């Protein structure tokens, strides 16, 4: 069988696509047989690895692609960079620990959750992103169609599950119970990143049930890192820069302050 045919049968697509270049390079560098073979196989492996990342990125259903490198930590001094670096090392995923990101709208909760998710995908983990709304739609539908068990299994499979925007919509009692079942399933098996605009004290209201909220928090926080972002909205900063909001008042001369005065106009974020 010819070389081309063998590459095709063995599905060495990446090597096949770059065969001429690899051979030319090997000739130019006068590589010995073993080194050449290693180079050729490395090229195939790299291509497959990259394709795997792209496939897992698609399966993760991130709303957009953001990285930690794109995050401006100077803008958000309440965030501990060392802690973020530690999380980016992904040992929390390995150990099935959780991350909870709390803070008001626009401070970068979703950005950080996605960025950690992208890191996890690049490291070879399976990741799934859901807004709380889409999660509830999926669970509700599964329950109505009598396939809740299968759906809970699917949601337990990803090594990292990101649940974004807990707290914007209050949950019904049935929804809160479904959420609890999911948390129980994943407990100590797979990691969760949960983002919320509500402090833990308000979770009783979110779940419409204080006892259930306590049971959920108990499992969620048993092995967890909580990031409490206290800063200003990055969206507002961008609007301000675009001139859509007034400039912050200059700091009082007798009492210099680097904090921007509160002069946010009522508006929908
Ligand atoms: P939240 O989820 O807390 O409401 P987002 O993560 O959606 O906020 O952030 C709003 C927008 O601002 C996004 O486009 C995000 O990428 C950007 N953003 C927020 N904080 C920062 C930051 N510190 N550096 C760079 N971009 C940021
Ligand atoms: Mg968000």
């Amino acid at each position: 069988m010819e070389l081309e045919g063998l590459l095709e049968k063995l599905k060495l697509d990446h090597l096949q696509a770059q065969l001429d270049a690899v051979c030319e390079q090997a000739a130019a560098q006068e590589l010995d047989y073993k080194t050449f073979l290693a180079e050729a196989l490395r090229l195939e492996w790299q291509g497959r690895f990259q394709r795997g990342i792209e496939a897992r990125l698609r399966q993760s259903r991130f709303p957009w692609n953001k990285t930690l490198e794109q995050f401006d930590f100077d803008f958000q001094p309440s965030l501990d960079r060392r802690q973020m670096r530690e999380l980016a090392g992904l040992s929390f995923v390995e150990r099935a620990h959780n991350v909870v990101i709390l803070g008001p709208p626009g401070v970068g909760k979703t950005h950080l959750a996605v960025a950690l998710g992208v890191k996890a995908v690049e490291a070879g983990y399976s990741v799934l992103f859901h807004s709380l709304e889409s999660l509830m739609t999926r669970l509700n539908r599964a329950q109505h169609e009598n396939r809740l068990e299968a759906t809970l299994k699917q949601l337990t499979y990803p090594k990292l599950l990101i649940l974004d925007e807990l707290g914007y919509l209050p949950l019904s009692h049935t929804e809160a119970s479904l959420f609890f079942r999911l948390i129980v399933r994943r407990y100590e098996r797979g990691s969760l990143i949960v983002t919320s605009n509500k402090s833990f004290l308000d979770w009783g209201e979110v779940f419409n049930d204080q006892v259930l909220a306590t049971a959920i928090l108990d499992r969620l926080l048993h092995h967890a890192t909580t990031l409490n972002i206290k800063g200003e909205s990055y969206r507002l900063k961008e609007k301000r820069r675009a001139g859509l909001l007034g400039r912050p008042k200059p700091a009082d001369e007798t009492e210099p302050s680097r904090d921007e005065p509160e002069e946010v106009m009522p508006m929908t974020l």
Side-chain angles (χ1 to χ4, degrees), residues 2-239:
E2 293 293 313
L3 177 58
E4 284 283 335
L6 282 166
L7 291 172
E8 207 163 311
K9 284 265 180 248
L10 289 167
K11 297 192 167 48
L12 300 173
D13 303 354
H14 303 282
L15 182 54
Q16 191 173 15
Q18 295 181 60
L19 188 62
D20 290 343
V22 179
C23 292
E24 274 165 30
Q25 204 181 355
Q29 293 177 350
E30 296 181 12
L31 298 183
D32 61 63
Y33 295 138
K34 262 191 173 171
T35 313
F36 167 68
L37 189 59
E39 281 301 315
L41 293 179
R42 193 183 347 267
L43 194 135
E44 178 62 31
W45 181 80
Q46 268 170 354
R48 286 186 189 193
F49 184 71
Q50 192 54 39
R51 196 185 279 170
I53 289 178
E54 283 156 19
R56 279 200 312 284
L57 270 179
R58 276 194 303 277
Q59 286 161 6
S60 303
R61 304 210 216 139
F62 294 125
W64 20 256
N65 209 330
K66 292 275 164 145
T67 63
L68 282 179
E69 291 68 32
Q70 291 167 329
F71 195 83
D72 178 3
F73 284 90
D74 289 336
F75 184 76
Q76 220 51 269
S78 64
L79 259 178
D80 183 348
R81 283 173 204 239
R82 209 179 41 83
Q83 199 174 28
M84 274 317 295
R85 257 202 306 274
E86 167 97 26
L87 289 174
L90 300 176
S91 65
F92 79 98
V93 181
E94 193 44 50
R95 288 183 282 170
H97 289 186
N98 303 324
V99 178
V100 184
I101 310 178
L102 303 177
V107 293
K109 300 183 297 297
T110 306
H111 184 135
L112 290 172
V114 168
L116 288 173
V118 170
K119 276 250 177 308
V121 166
E122 286 170 353
Y125 294 111
S126 52
V127 179
L128 181 64
F129 180 102
H130 261 301
S131 70
L132 213 73
E133 196 185 354
S134 70
L135 174 79
M136 283 309 156
T137 307
R138 183 166 171 185
L139 287 175
N140 276 326
R141 191 178 302 149
Q143 196 175 38
H144 280 124
E145 295 171 3
N146 265 329
R147 47 178 181 79
L148 183 60
E149 187 53 36
T151 300
L152 284 171
K153 251 195 199 127
Q154 285 164 4
L155 290 167
T156 311
Y157 170 72
K159 194 74 180 121
L160 171 62
L161 177 65
I162 301 176
L163 300 179
D164 194 33
E165 300 196 335
L166 181 111
Y168 282 102
L169 300 171
L171 304 182
S172 69
H173 188 73
T174 316
E175 287 172 333
S177 310
L178 288 172
F179 188 88
F180 177 66
R181 285 180 69 176
L182 175 62
I183 298 296
V184 168
R185 285 296 184 97
R186 291 192 61 92
Y187 178 62
E188 294 187 337
R189 279 193 208 125
S191 293
L192 278 167
I193 297 182
V194 177
T195 81
S196 178
N197 63 328
K198 291 275 181 4
S199 78
F200 294 135
L201 288 175
D202 297 328
W203 283 30
E205 242 170 72
V206 173
F207 291 105
N208 252 314
D209 184 327
Q210 193 58 56
V211 176
L212 206 52
T214 307
I216 287 168
L217 280 169
D218 189 50
R219 282 163 182 80
L220 187 65
L221 300 182
H222 183 198
H223 309 289
T225 303
T226 302
L227 307 174
N228 213 335
I229 313 180
K230 298 211 171 74
E232 202 204 357
S233 162
Y234 198 82
R235 294 192 192 103
L236 279 190
K237 173 197 130 150
E238 291 189 328
K239 287 207 165 70

